[in-house]
Each structure stands twice: as structure tokens, then as C-alpha cells.
Amino acid sequence: GVTAKIAGSPAAVQATLSGGLREYSATYTVVLLSPNGLATIQIDYEDMAGNAGVQQTVVIGPSAVTIDTRGPGLTALTIASNNAASSSVAIAGNTITVALSVDESIGAPNVTIAGRAASVSGTGASWTATYVVSAVDVAAFDGLAATIGVDCTDIAGNVASVAAAPTTDSSVVTLDLTAPTLTSVSLA
């Protein structure tokens, strides 16, 4: 008989005959609590007379499987405006830029700035998102800090979603969409 463990858990073993030889395959379904990293194996077997074979714990050949049940994590997140007077203030027409880094490669993330979809560029674990401030689109944020939302997926399909993500360097961009007004004018 043959028994197998993959990632430390029992695996289902299936025997088939091929060219007069018995071949075995083991199947394991990854669950959320499976250990992340290179999948380990343990195969115990014996012949028809009950003689035990040497336990196999190394994959023979070039195959390997990495288990990844963890979503990507933000490692750096910053925000700034191209406002000439201050990078922490944005008025209509300014571009707000969010730079983000994650702890593993991801596909293009979906990023929102002040609740609006941002244009995204980058690769792997480093991305930049930009949004040109439209007073009409973000009027509800006038006088408030622009929020940042990030949705991303790693190459294994694990999703991470952060609404109102805090920056890692305490950077903030406040939207100032109200034009100044004069309250008093006098001639001397």
C-alpha cells in the first residue's frame, strides 16, 4: 500500500495500472490554513509482502509547487499633489499621485483617489496611480483629505482590498475646491 502527505496533511492516493506497472498519484486540496511556501511531501509505501520502502520526502525531477493562501500586503503607500504651493493640497486641475509597493508581484491594482478611479502604471510589486482633480467629481471631499482605496490580486489569485488605506509616511493631500472670496474691500 501507499500513503502520502502533502503540506503535512493526508493526501488522497489513487493507483492505476500502466504497462503492467502500478503507478500512484496523490491529491491534496489546499485550504486557507495550509502552510504557505514550498509544498512538502511524505510518501510511505510497502510491497505486496509487507516490506516497507524508504520514506520519500524529496520530489524526483524538476517539479515543485508553492502554496500561497495569503493576499498581497501593502509595504509602502504615499500620496502627493503637483500643486505648486504645497504637495499636500490639491485644487481643481492638479494631479494627485499615489505610489504603492506590495510584498509580492501583483497584476495591475484598482486604485481610487477621493473615491474616483485612478490611472495606474507599474509592474510587479511597485505601482503608481494618478488622478486629475475635477471639482465636480469630488465636490463632497472639499476641505477633506483625499482617501485612497486599493484592490489587488497576486499571481496565485489571492485578493487584498483596502478601503481608506492610511499612508505609510503620514502623507496627506487635502482637496481645496473653494475659491477664495474677499470679505471686505476698501479704498483709502
Side-chain angles (χ1 to χ4, degrees):
V2 175
T3 61
K5 288 186 177 182
I6 300 175
S9 296
V13 177
Q14 179 72 39
T16 57
L17 286 176
S18 175
L21 297 176
R22 188 170 295 206
E23 293 182 359
Y24 294 89
S25 63
T27 306
Y28 168 71
T29 301
V30 174
V31 295
L32 185 60
L33 296 177
S34 296
N36 283 278
L38 194 60
T40 59
I41 64 165
Q42 176 184 322
I43 302 170
D44 294 300
Y45 58 98
E46 59 186 35
D47 64 17
M48 299 294 280
N51 298 309
V54 176
Q55 185 179 71
Q56 182 68 41
T57 57
V58 178
V59 174
I60 299 171
S63 65
V65 173
T66 299
I67 297 174
D68 180 359
T69 61
R70 185 181 56 81
L74 286 171
T75 57
L77 184 67
T78 62
I79 188 170
S81 165
N82 69 343
N83 183 285
S86 172
S87 64
S88 62
V89 175
I91 63 173
N94 285 161
T95 298
I96 298 174
T97 301
V98 169
L100 65 104
S101 296
V102 292
D103 59 3
E104 61 182 311
S105 289
I106 60 172
N110 292 316
V111 178
T112 58
I113 300 173
R116 307 305 283 179
S119 297
V120 177
S121 63
T123 61
S126 297
W127 297 85
T128 302
T130 58
Y131 169 70
V132 177
V133 177
S134 165
V136 173
D137 289 344
V138 294
F141 285 92
D142 189 19
L144 302 174
T147 58
I148 305 167
V150 179
D151 293 320
C152 56
T153 304
D154 67 15
I155 59 174
N158 300 306
V159 176
S161 182
V162 183
T167 57
T168 55
D169 66 351
S170 300
S171 56
V172 174
V173 171
T174 301
L175 294 165
D176 184 355
L177 306 174
T178 305
T181 57
L182 295 175
T183 56
S184 172
V185 176
S186 63
L187 296 172

